[in-house]
Amino acid sequence: MMDRACAVLRRAVSVLRIKAVRRADRTKDAPHDCNCLRAAAMIWADELAMRSGMSVRICVPHPRGVQVIHHVFRPDNSPQRLTIGEVLPPDSAPAQALGVAYDGRCVFVPEPDLRGAELATVIACPESPDRAAALSVTGPADLLDLALVASDRYRHLLIDTASSISVSLTADAPTRT
């Protein structure tokens, strides 16, 4: 009887420890206050999701990869999961985009199922380069693959949206131009 009680207590402690680690991941070394970035990007991210038909995420650097600070669902009303606060690994498209110097390039990363993919670029912030962020769209791999002509439309949408967000940040107002 005592062994069973000990096993139950150990399991409960283990579950609590895992939950604490996940909570710490979300808050430990959290990025600086990103409210200005989020405010400047909301309108543009919504429009990008509507025009591309894909989900849109904005991520900022995190010690273990990148952290999602804004997420817009695909406009098709399909079942989706909110990822705000999650830390994406260093091999994700947003993390790789932030790892290269900003020059208007996009990073393409296929998902493990090979049907989906993520395309990301950098939102440059001229006033404070340390607050650069990644803007990404997630959708069908055959539409986002940089090697395909069909992906040009999505690459231009992504880069145009990133530059519009940068202009909004520079103007210090989340307005559309």
Side-chain angles (χ1 to χ4, degrees), residues 18-32:
I18 289 169
K19 287 185 177 182
V21 167
R22 288 183 182 156
R23 188 174 298 122
D25 276 350
R26 290 181 178 225
T27 58
K28 180 183 172 195
D29 297 316
H32 307 299

Side-chain angles (χ1 to χ4, degrees), residues 9 33 35 38 41 44 97 124 154 166:
L9 284 174
D33 179 9
N35 289 333
R38 202 174 297 123
W44 296 107
Y154 298 99
S166 295

Side-chain angles (χ1 to χ4, degrees), residues 53-170:
M54 300 182 189
S55 68
V56 175
R57 291 193 287 200
I58 298 169
C59 303
V60 293
H62 186 276
R64 294 191 324 117
V66 291
Q67 186 172 22
V68 180
I69 62 165
H70 187 64
H71 181 199
V72 181
F73 289 146
R74 287 185 310 274
D76 63 1
N77 291 329
S78 62
Q80 299 171 63
R81 186 176 61 84
L82 189 64
T83 60
I84 292 176
E86 285 188 11
V87 177
L88 304 178
D91 61 349
S92 66
Q96 289 184 28
L98 286 172
V100 296
Y102 177 73
D103 62 359
R105 280 191 295 169
C106 290
V107 174
F108 170 78
V109 175
E111 292 179 349
D113 64 7
L114 299 177
R115 289 181 307 213
E118 191 167 18
L119 190 65
T121 192
V122 175
I123 302 169
C125 183
E127 291 182 345
S128 55
D130 60 319
R131 288 176 61 196
L135 175 69
S136 69
V137 290
T138 304
D142 58 346
L143 293 178
L144 297 178
D145 190 345
L146 295 172
L148 302 175
V149 177
S151 73
D152 282 349
R153 173 178 181 264
Y154 298 99
R155 186 169 54 243
H156 290 302
L157 276 174
L158 189 64
I159 291 172
D160 288 347
T161 303
S163 66
S164 297
I165 293 170
S166 295
V167 168
S168 294
L169 283 167
T170 306

